[in-house]
Amino acid sequence: MSEHPERNGHPERDHARGPDAEEFADLLVGIQRLTRRRLRAGLAGPRLRGAQAELLRLVADAPGLRVSKAAEELSLAGNSVSTLVNQLVGQGLLRRETDPADRRAALLYATEEAVERLAAWRQRRTELLGEVLAELDGADRAALAAALSALRAVAAGLRAPGGGEGKAEA
C-alpha cells in the first residue's frame, strides 16, 4: 500500500480533476465564520442570526418583496420566513405593508435603521477583507481575482432549481 503525502490534513489530490469539493466547502464556510466573528466585535445593537441577516439583505436589495418570494429566494418554508419577518418587525428593522394588488399578501421593506446597519456591516466587511487581501502576494491576489468568475458560476449553480440537491446533510 502506498502512502499519500498530506497537505493541511488532506491527502494529496489529483489537481487535474479540479478542486476538492470538501476542502472547497470547508474553506468557504470557514472564511464566512471567521469574517462574521471578526465583524461582530464592537457591533452596536442586538446581533442578528444568520437567517435574519439574509432576509434583511434580501429585502434591502429588493424593496417591496413578498413574503412568499422571500421564502422562495431563501429556500425556506413560508411560515419560517413569517417568523423571521415578525422578529425583524419587532426589532424595528423591517416594515410589512399590505399588497394593494392582493390584500392577502404582505410586501416587505427594510427600515432606515436596517439599511444603515447593513451599509455599516458591508463597509466593515470590505475593509476587513481588503486588509487581509492586501497582505497576500501579487500571485495569490491575481489567482483570487481570476477565480471570481468560477465562484460566480458555482453560486449560480447552487441557486438553480435542483442545484446541488440530492446529497444528505450532516
Side-chain angles (χ1 to χ4, degrees):
M1 187 166 124
S2 67
E3 290 187 32
H4 297 288
E6 297 270 333
R7 275 189 317 112
N8 298 327
H10 296 284
E12 189 68 36
R13 294 186 173 78
D14 177 2
H15 292 286
R17 294 183 325 179
D20 176 70
E22 182 178 359
E23 183 178 12
F24 180 69
D26 288 347
L27 283 169
L28 289 177
V29 169
I31 290 167
Q32 177 68 11
R33 182 179 52 248
L34 291 167
T35 301
R36 271 195 322 265
R37 283 183 185 164
R38 293 278 302 270
L39 292 175
R40 283 181 182 153
L43 268 184
R47 191 172 94 195
L48 297 176
R49 291 192 336 263
Q52 290 174 322
E54 283 185 63
L55 176 59
L56 206 50
R57 279 192 294 270
L58 181 64
V59 172
D61 291 341
L65 193 67
R66 284 181 164 206
V67 173
S68 58
K69 183 65 175 168
E72 179 184 321
E73 289 288 325
L74 296 172
S75 299
L76 294 173
N79 61 342
S80 296
V81 173
S82 292
T83 299
L84 294 171
V85 167
N86 289 335
Q87 293 166 351
L88 293 168
V89 166
Q91 292 178 38
L93 298 173
L94 209 57
R95 197 175 76 248
R96 179 179 32 220
E97 295 181 7
T98 303
D99 184 346
D102 179 357
R103 310 275 311 149
R104 297 168 297 167
L107 303 177
L108 304 174
Y109 298 90
T111 65
E112 188 60 34
E113 179 185 349
V115 170
E116 289 171 5
R117 268 182 85 167
L118 287 171
W121 177 270
R122 287 175 173 149
Q123 177 66 31
R124 289 179 65 217
R125 183 183 61 190
T126 298
E127 290 169 0
L128 172 65
L129 292 174
E131 290 169 9
V132 172
L133 293 173
E135 293 175 8
L136 298 177
D137 66 29
D140 283 345
R141 282 194 307 273
L144 286 174
L148 290 176
S149 176
L151 289 169
R152 286 186 200 101
V154 168
L158 291 170
R159 278 191 203 97
E165 288 183 10
K167 305 286 190 245
E169 281 190 40

